[in-house]
Amino acid sequence: MLSLAVATDAETLDRIRGPLADRGISASYVPYRKRTLSLSDPPFSLDEFDVGLVYPGRLMEGGVLDAFLDIPWVNDRDAVLRSRNKAGVLARLERAGVPVPETVFVSNPTDADDVLDALAGFDYPVVVKPNSATRGVAVTKVGDADSALGVTDYLDLIHEFPATDDKSYLVQEYVPDATDYRVMVLDGEYAGAVERRGTGWKHNVHRGADATAVDPPERVKTVAENTAVALDIALLGVDVLDTGSRTVVNETNARPTVDSETKYEDGFYDRFAELVRATRR
């Protein structure tokens, strides 16, 4: 049986363990974080795993784990870094012709006048978000320039994402009346989608939004597939905003939570298992 290293003990592992075992792949958590770890006597066998699922999000710890295991990852370090940089993702997608919201990248700290110049190109409200944080942390909608400067001053003062020491942020157009989809793409092909609905304007599941399995319009599937191909990431969650007249990619996640099987296309785990095996080869 092929042995798969999973660098998180969250809900994804519980969901994938059974279906992958049915397909000849044993998925196990690697206990590498939030503990002491002897570099000469690690708490797991170095030849226990054949392949890894997704490179750890904490990059320094990931580098240690990667040195121990020396295995290929379905989504390797470069894929995780590529997806985590929101501005980098949007810039790549722009060049590839994939539609994205109008966005300005701010290398913080910068002068307030420069921020005001950037804001002058938008209609209010605008969205201000950290460039590399996750789970909707610090994503803010502001309705005027004074409010925007208050938010950016705050970011200038305290924002420091611990994995990257990144203080940059984005100023982005707000896309009103859009349906919010998280689309899963496996090896460049659509694999399923959920529609996310929250009580406010943000529809992040980690902030309490509901995620309901849906069959999105073909335009949503196509833009998600094009995104995965442009970024060259094998297992990718693509956040798509669709108004009916406009479809844009908002963010991507190379460390996506795998949802219940009912929220994906038939044959999802067959394809998932084949992707793991292909990575091993």
Side-chain angles (χ1 to χ4, degrees):
M1 180 173 282
L2 197 68
S3 181
L4 177 68
V6 181
T8 174
D9 56 354
E11 59 269 24
T12 286
L13 177 58
D14 293 334
R15 290 171 181 152
I16 69 175
R17 182 180 277 130
L20 288 182
D22 293 340
R23 292 159 176 82
I25 298 173
S26 174
S28 302
Y29 173 60
V30 191
Y32 73 100
R33 62 192 296 262
K34 294 185 178 180
R35 59 175 303 157
T36 60
L37 186 64
S38 170
L39 300 185
S40 59
D41 186 24
F44 43 81
S45 172
L46 300 188
D47 58 0
E48 180 178 350
F49 298 101
D50 302 304
V51 61
L53 181 58
V54 176
Y55 193 90
R58 290 184 172 185
L59 300 180
M60 295 299 100
E61 294 167 342
V64 175
L65 180 62
D66 204 29
F68 278 140
L69 299 182
D70 192 25
I71 55 175
W73 297 85
V74 172
N75 281 358
D76 61 13
R77 180 179 183 274
D78 288 345
V80 171
L81 282 175
R82 198 154 56 246
S83 175
R84 175 174 289 169
N85 187 328
K86 294 179 175 65
V89 164
L90 297 177
R92 288 174 185 272
L93 296 183
E94 282 271 17
R95 293 192 62 184
V98 177
V100 298
E102 184 67 29
T103 305
V104 171
F105 171 70
V106 182
S107 178
N108 204 34
T110 190
D111 293 337
D113 287 344
D114 291 335
V115 176
L116 288 173
D117 286 344
L119 289 167
F122 293 89
D123 294 325
Y124 287 99
V126 299
V127 175
V128 180
K129 63 172 67 172
N131 187 44
S132 57
T134 61
R135 299 189 172 189
V137 173
V139 178
T140 307
K141 182 174 67 172
V142 293
D144 55 61
D146 286 340
S147 298
L149 287 181
V151 171
T152 59
D153 281 348
Y154 181 75
L155 287 172
D156 190 18
L157 178 67
I158 65 145
H159 179 58
E160 183 172 319
F161 189 56
T164 58
D165 189 26
D166 177 30
K167 298 177 184 292
S168 61
Y169 62 90
L170 308 182
V171 176
Q172 190 173 70
E173 69 167 306
Y174 173 62
V175 182
D177 303 320
T179 302
D180 187 327
Y181 296 102
R182 162 58 67 86
V183 183
M184 184 72 84
V185 182
L186 276 178
D187 205 18
E189 295 186 4
Y190 171 79
V194 294
E195 179 182 339
R196 304 184 296 189
R197 288 185 177 272
T199 55
W201 70 277
K202 290 192 287 187
H203 304 289
N204 192 286
V205 172
H206 294 285
R207 296 298 179 95
D210 293 323
T212 305
V214 294
D215 182 21
E218 288 300 321
R219 61 183 177 271
V220 171
K221 299 176 184 179
T222 297
V223 79
E225 290 177 339
N226 290 344
T227 295
V229 171
L231 298 180
D232 190 25
I233 298 178
L235 173 66
L236 189 65
V238 183
D239 295 347
V240 180
L241 300 176
D242 181 68
T243 67
S245 61
R246 187 181 181 206
T247 305
V248 296
V249 174
N250 191 38
E251 295 182 10
T252 64
N253 189 344
R255 307 187 74 248
T257 298
V258 177
D259 220 317
S260 59
E261 188 172 0
T262 56
K263 295 182 179 180
Y264 299 110
E265 296 283 276
D266 291 342
F268 171 79
Y269 274 106
D270 292 331
R271 293 171 54 192
F272 194 176
E274 180 53 37
L275 177 58
V276 172
R277 292 192 185 92
T279 302
R280 177 66 179 89
R281 293 195 290 269

